[in-house]
Amino acid sequence: MAIRTRFLRVTLIISAACGSIWSQGSEWKVNPEWVRAHEMFLASDAMRGRGSATADEWIAATYVASEFQKYGLKPGLPDRAYIQRAELVQPVVEGTAQISAPESSGFTALEEGRDFSLLRTDGENVSGRLQKINAEDAAREQVQAGAVIMLAGDLGKQAGSFIRRAYSAGATAILREDQSLSSDALKRNLDQRRPINPHLPDLDQSLGSKLSIVAVTKAASDRLGKLGDGTVISLQIHTKNTPRYTYNSVGVLQGKDPSASARVILLSAHLDHLGVGEPVNGDSIYNGANDDASGTVAVLELAHALASGPKPQRSIYFVCYGSEEFGGLGSTYFREHPPVPLDRIAANVEFEMIGNQDPKMPKGKLLFTGWDRSNLGPILLEHGAQLGDDPYPEQHFFERSDNYSLALKGVVAHTAGGWGTPPTYHKPDDDIAHLDFDFMTQAIQSLVEPMRWLANSNFVPQWLPGRKPLGRE
Ligand SMILES: [Zn+2]
């Protein structure tokens, strides 16, 4: 994206944003210039894509906290702070990894950089019983829990769905034959290993997958193919742990009922994105204007609206998480260190990617993930929220954002989103130029009164029978 004209436009927009805050009636009016001004900061190239657990993420969290304070929210954390810092652990691979079988099998260990490349690992050593699957039979084969799968042949476009299936079935690792793996490519992959995503120490319940994925050469695949099914295969990786930090911004609008038993409402989004990465058409900044600066803006402008009106009955927590893109780490940390006990959170709505209208949804409507899991979506609809059922059940969106971290602990928590996966999804093109500001402003506007109603009511949403999430599904 071009940077040059930005400064002038930011100045103009900020001055425009200082106009009147109320429209002629008494109803709160979300000003599109406020929405745009937040985006101009959060999704600017200067923020370098707000990479998860980076200094850029910290700046984004500081901006959000500062806006919370401006709107009159109180610090949401017990130590009177707006920012919650979580320590993460990042394993860094040292040396080369090996794949081995018991000595009795006569198998000579495979060496990373010579026989295979690590495509995906969480840095842990893994082992499991060998299950050999040919690409042509992959659709029919039942994946065994705990298996190390040797996938021979080329799955082509079916690879993604097979990997998801193997993950759901609880496979430990997939050793995938890649006939194009030259010695040059092996060496390059070794020198440019993708960093392993960090995780929360002592906590194994984030959204991240434990499945390791390895590409093996044709020769290595043939050697593995000679081993009997059920042979124990081990992948050994040597790692050193380095600390990293992620940041959540937490503000609270105090309700009239401050008693220790009073329920609260949680409105959330994630402020991180993918940072600086692989360039596409010369652009290496993954701005995340939609994912999820747009949700962050929704949280900010709902805070602005609700804090400017009469004090609500119940307190409302406004939270923007870090490190969602590493598997919901910020929200998982928040869940483990909440400012109020989780059973006092009556409802959580997360806002994700509200920057574009979904082509499958009626005009102006947001999709609400897990619609038929609880009675929250339908009651918000009754109170005027422009929400509807998620038309992409196969995408499992309910399990793919921060709401899930809380839902796993029983909090009735859903995500309201715009276009499920727009063409700009996780690309450098997810920038301000691709946002539909009219849709976005209208989406936030449509939520103000329903959220005000929720905070003023005694309504406690419930999971529908058998629909409470239980974990890996
Ligand atoms: Zn997101």
Side-chain angles (χ1 to χ4, degrees), residues 4-33:
R4 203 173 282 169
T5 57
R6 276 294 148 70
F7 289 105
L8 181 62
R9 288 187 66 197
V10 170
T11 318
L12 289 176
I13 280 157
I14 289 173
S15 27
C18 296
S20 123
I21 50 170
W22 292 94
S23 66
Q24 274 148 350
S26 61
E27 195 192 326
W28 181 264
K29 179 100 168 60
V30 178
N31 185 327
E33 296 303 339

Tab-separated table of all heavy atoms in Angstrom, residues 4-33:
chain	number	residue	atom	x	y	z
A	4	ARG	N	2.428	7.518	1.126
A	4	ARG	CA	2.721	8.933	1.034
A	4	ARG	C	1.573	9.877	1.378
A	4	ARG	O	1.773	10.865	2.064
A	4	ARG	CB	3.237	9.239	-0.361
A	4	ARG	CG	4.051	10.499	-0.308
A	4	ARG	CD	4.747	10.793	-1.575
A	4	ARG	NE	5.936	10.002	-1.781
A	4	ARG	CZ	6.564	9.966	-2.953
A	4	ARG	NH1	6.089	10.636	-3.969
A	4	ARG	NH2	7.649	9.251	-3.106
A	5	THR	N	0.375	9.588	0.888
A	5	THR	CA	-0.735	10.544	1.097
A	5	THR	C	-1.365	10.396	2.477
A	5	THR	O	-2.234	11.151	2.840
A	5	THR	CB	-1.839	10.317	0.059
A	5	THR	OG1	-2.246	8.969	0.169
A	5	THR	CG2	-1.365	10.626	-1.335
A	6	ARG	N	-0.920	9.416	3.227
A	6	ARG	CA	-1.562	9.089	4.494
A	6	ARG	C	-1.644	10.224	5.509
A	6	ARG	O	-2.662	10.468	6.092
A	6	ARG	CB	-0.799	7.959	5.186
A	6	ARG	CG	-1.160	6.628	4.743
A	6	ARG	CD	-2.574	6.265	5.091
A	6	ARG	NE	-3.085	5.393	4.062
A	6	ARG	CZ	-2.642	4.138	3.912
A	6	ARG	NH1	-1.800	3.620	4.760
A	6	ARG	NH2	-3.082	3.418	2.930
A	7	PHE	N	-0.508	10.909	5.723
A	7	PHE	CA	-0.438	11.859	6.836
A	7	PHE	C	-1.500	12.931	6.726
A	7	PHE	O	-2.210	13.232	7.660
A	7	PHE	CB	0.953	12.481	6.918
A	7	PHE	CG	1.968	11.502	7.398
A	7	PHE	CD1	2.873	10.938	6.513
A	7	PHE	CD2	1.978	11.078	8.716
A	7	PHE	CE1	3.789	9.995	6.946
A	7	PHE	CE2	2.895	10.144	9.151
A	7	PHE	CZ	3.805	9.594	8.272
A	8	LEU	N	-1.626	13.464	5.492
A	8	LEU	CA	-2.598	14.509	5.259
A	8	LEU	C	-3.999	13.992	5.560
A	8	LEU	O	-4.777	14.629	6.249
A	8	LEU	CB	-2.483	14.959	3.801
A	8	LEU	CG	-3.438	16.078	3.403
A	8	LEU	CD1	-3.122	17.308	4.252
A	8	LEU	CD2	-3.262	16.408	1.933
A	9	ARG	N	-4.272	12.762	5.069
A	9	ARG	CA	-5.631	12.224	5.247
A	9	ARG	C	-5.927	11.963	6.713
A	9	ARG	O	-7.010	12.225	7.187
A	9	ARG	CB	-5.798	10.955	4.434
A	9	ARG	CG	-5.880	11.261	2.954
A	9	ARG	CD	-6.221	10.029	2.155
A	9	ARG	NE	-7.553	9.547	2.434
A	9	ARG	CZ	-7.946	8.324	2.112
A	9	ARG	NH1	-7.116	7.488	1.560
A	9	ARG	NH2	-9.174	7.944	2.354
A	10	VAL	N	-4.934	11.476	7.456
A	10	VAL	CA	-5.155	11.210	8.880
A	10	VAL	C	-5.539	12.499	9.577
A	10	VAL	O	-6.490	12.567	10.340
A	10	VAL	CB	-3.912	10.581	9.542
A	10	VAL	CG1	-4.077	10.542	11.046
A	10	VAL	CG2	-3.669	9.201	8.994
A	11	THR	N	-4.806	13.588	9.268
A	11	THR	CA	-5.077	14.871	9.911
A	11	THR	C	-6.502	15.318	9.608
A	11	THR	O	-7.248	15.719	10.494
A	11	THR	CB	-4.088	15.931	9.376
A	11	THR	OG1	-2.820	15.319	9.301
A	11	THR	CG2	-4.041	17.138	10.270
A	12	LEU	N	-6.873	15.210	8.341
A	12	LEU	CA	-8.219	15.648	7.964
A	12	LEU	C	-9.279	14.840	8.690
A	12	LEU	O	-10.249	15.373	9.190
A	12	LEU	CB	-8.408	15.477	6.442
A	12	LEU	CG	-7.608	16.454	5.585
A	12	LEU	CD1	-7.797	16.122	4.121
A	12	LEU	CD2	-8.045	17.892	5.883
A	13	ILE	N	-9.030	13.531	8.756
A	13	ILE	CA	-10.040	12.657	9.351
A	13	ILE	C	-10.140	12.889	10.848
A	13	ILE	O	-11.220	12.957	11.409
A	13	ILE	CB	-9.728	11.193	8.996
A	13	ILE	CG1	-10.232	10.973	7.581
A	13	ILE	CG2	-10.395	10.233	9.946
A	13	ILE	CD1	-9.573	9.858	6.876
A	14	ILE	N	-9.003	13.074	11.498
A	14	ILE	CA	-9.052	13.301	12.942
A	14	ILE	C	-9.780	14.612	13.234
A	14	ILE	O	-10.615	14.668	14.123
A	14	ILE	CB	-7.644	13.251	13.567
A	14	ILE	CG1	-7.158	11.800	13.538
A	14	ILE	CG2	-7.652	13.769	14.993
A	14	ILE	CD1	-5.749	11.588	13.956
A	15	SER	N	-9.527	15.646	12.421
A	15	SER	CA	-10.249	16.893	12.701
A	15	SER	C	-11.740	16.722	12.412
A	15	SER	O	-12.586	17.216	13.137
A	15	SER	CB	-9.664	18.090	11.966
A	15	SER	OG	-9.034	17.679	10.795
A	16	ALA	N	-12.062	15.938	11.370
A	16	ALA	CA	-13.481	15.712	11.076
A	16	ALA	C	-14.142	14.937	12.218
A	16	ALA	O	-15.312	15.114	12.515
A	16	ALA	CB	-13.629	14.943	9.778
A	17	ALA	N	-13.359	14.081	12.857
A	17	ALA	CA	-13.917	13.223	13.899
A	17	ALA	C	-14.262	13.996	15.161
A	17	ALA	O	-14.895	13.473	16.062
A	17	ALA	CB	-12.930	12.113	14.234
A	18	CYS	N	-13.816	15.235	15.268
A	18	CYS	CA	-14.071	15.996	16.485
A	18	CYS	C	-15.417	16.720	16.427
A	18	CYS	O	-15.710	17.574	17.258
A	18	CYS	CB	-12.956	17.011	16.739
A	18	CYS	SG	-11.400	16.198	17.026
A	19	GLY	N	-16.241	16.410	15.452
A	19	GLY	CA	-17.542	17.092	15.318
A	19	GLY	C	-18.530	16.651	16.377
A	19	GLY	O	-18.157	16.055	17.379
A	20	SER	N	-19.794	16.925	16.140
A	20	SER	CA	-20.810	16.640	17.157
A	20	SER	C	-20.976	15.134	17.333
A	20	SER	O	-20.885	14.371	16.373
A	20	SER	CB	-22.122	17.286	16.734
A	20	SER	OG	-23.138	16.309	16.650
A	21	ILE	N	-21.233	14.680	18.558
A	21	ILE	CA	-21.314	13.251	18.809
A	21	ILE	C	-22.740	12.738	18.771
A	21	ILE	O	-22.977	11.563	18.613
A	21	ILE	CB	-20.676	12.854	20.161
A	21	ILE	CG1	-21.202	13.725	21.292
A	21	ILE	CG2	-19.166	12.922	20.077
A	21	ILE	CD1	-20.790	13.234	22.663
A	22	TRP	N	-23.692	13.613	18.958
A	22	TRP	CA	-25.086	13.166	18.918
A	22	TRP	C	-25.709	13.598	17.604
A	22	TRP	O	-25.455	14.687	17.116
A	22	TRP	CB	-25.890	13.785	20.078
A	22	TRP	CG	-25.470	13.258	21.409
A	22	TRP	CD1	-24.550	13.805	22.254
A	22	TRP	CD2	-25.934	12.079	22.043
A	22	TRP	NE1	-24.417	13.038	23.366
A	22	TRP	CE2	-25.257	11.961	23.280
A	22	TRP	CE3	-26.869	11.089	21.700
A	22	TRP	CZ2	-25.478	10.921	24.164
A	22	TRP	CZ3	-27.085	10.054	22.591
A	22	TRP	CH2	-26.391	9.974	23.799
A	23	SER	N	-26.533	12.727	17.074
A	23	SER	CA	-27.309	13.149	15.911
A	23	SER	C	-28.476	13.981	16.449
A	23	SER	O	-28.605	14.181	17.648
A	23	SER	CB	-27.808	11.931	15.151
A	23	SER	OG	-28.724	11.225	15.960
A	24	GLN	N	-29.365	14.406	15.547
A	24	GLN	CA	-30.426	15.302	15.999
A	24	GLN	C	-31.332	14.667	17.052
A	24	GLN	O	-31.716	15.314	18.010
A	24	GLN	CB	-31.239	15.794	14.800
A	24	GLN	CG	-30.568	17.006	14.193
A	24	GLN	CD	-30.775	17.098	12.703
A	24	GLN	OE1	-31.259	16.159	12.077
A	24	GLN	NE2	-30.403	18.213	12.137
A	25	GLY	N	-31.649	13.392	16.870
A	25	GLY	CA	-32.483	12.718	17.867
A	25	GLY	C	-31.654	12.403	19.092
A	25	GLY	O	-30.528	12.858	19.229
A	26	SER	N	-32.197	11.562	19.990
A	26	SER	CA	-31.432	11.230	21.182
A	26	SER	C	-30.661	9.936	20.965
A	26	SER	O	-29.834	9.554	21.768
A	26	SER	CB	-32.362	11.087	22.383
A	26	SER	OG	-33.270	10.042	22.118
A	27	GLU	N	-30.946	9.255	19.859
A	27	GLU	CA	-30.284	7.977	19.608
A	27	GLU	C	-28.805	8.210	19.271
A	27	GLU	O	-28.468	9.139	18.540
A	27	GLU	CB	-30.971	7.290	18.434
A	27	GLU	CG	-30.617	5.833	18.327
A	27	GLU	CD	-31.071	5.245	16.999
A	27	GLU	OE1	-32.128	5.673	16.492
A	27	GLU	OE2	-30.350	4.394	16.477
A	28	TRP	N	-27.974	7.349	19.822
A	28	TRP	CA	-26.536	7.453	19.536
A	28	TRP	C	-26.277	7.171	18.063
A	28	TRP	O	-26.852	6.256	17.482
A	28	TRP	CB	-25.785	6.445	20.394
A	28	TRP	CG	-24.303	6.508	20.180
A	28	TRP	CD1	-23.569	5.716	19.353
A	28	TRP	CD2	-23.390	7.414	20.770
A	28	TRP	NE1	-22.255	6.060	19.412
A	28	TRP	CE2	-22.107	7.111	20.276
A	28	TRP	CE3	-23.521	8.467	21.687
A	28	TRP	CZ2	-20.971	7.810	20.651
A	28	TRP	CZ3	-22.384	9.157	22.069
A	28	TRP	CH2	-21.124	8.834	21.549
A	29	LYS	N	-25.392	7.968	17.491
A	29	LYS	CA	-25.070	7.764	16.073
A	29	LYS	C	-23.580	7.480	15.949
A	29	LYS	O	-22.760	8.299	16.375
A	29	LYS	CB	-25.443	9.061	15.332
A	29	LYS	CG	-25.177	9.060	13.861
A	29	LYS	CD	-26.469	8.776	13.068
A	29	LYS	CE	-26.277	9.060	11.582
A	29	LYS	NZ	-25.232	8.266	10.968
A	30	VAL	N	-23.246	6.316	15.414
A	30	VAL	CA	-21.835	5.981	15.197
A	30	VAL	C	-21.353	6.793	13.999
A	30	VAL	O	-21.901	6.679	12.905
A	30	VAL	CB	-21.651	4.467	14.940
A	30	VAL	CG1	-20.190	4.147	14.664
A	30	VAL	CG2	-22.162	3.657	16.132
A	31	ASN	N	-20.350	7.589	14.212
A	31	ASN	CA	-19.847	8.458	13.143
A	31	ASN	C	-18.855	7.677	12.274
A	31	ASN	O	-17.865	7.148	12.785
A	31	ASN	CB	-19.169	9.670	13.804
A	31	ASN	CG	-18.716	10.704	12.799
A	31	ASN	OD1	-18.331	10.362	11.675
A	31	ASN	ND2	-18.760	11.955	13.194
A	32	PRO	N	-19.127	7.597	10.961
A	32	PRO	CA	-18.221	6.815	10.104
A	32	PRO	C	-16.775	7.314	10.156
A	32	PRO	O	-15.842	6.529	9.945
A	32	PRO	CB	-18.794	6.977	8.700
A	32	PRO	CG	-19.935	7.929	8.787
A	32	PRO	CD	-20.276	8.164	10.229
A	33	GLU	N	-16.584	8.593	10.465
A	33	GLU	CA	-15.214	9.110	10.523
A	33	GLU	C	-14.462	8.592	11.748
A	33	GLU	O	-13.244	8.474	11.736
A	33	GLU	CB	-15.205	10.649	10.489
A	33	GLU	CG	-15.748	11.225	9.186
A	33	GLU	CD	-15.005	10.725	7.947
A	33	GLU	OE1	-13.852	10.267	8.051
A	33	GLU	OE2	-15.609	10.782	6.860
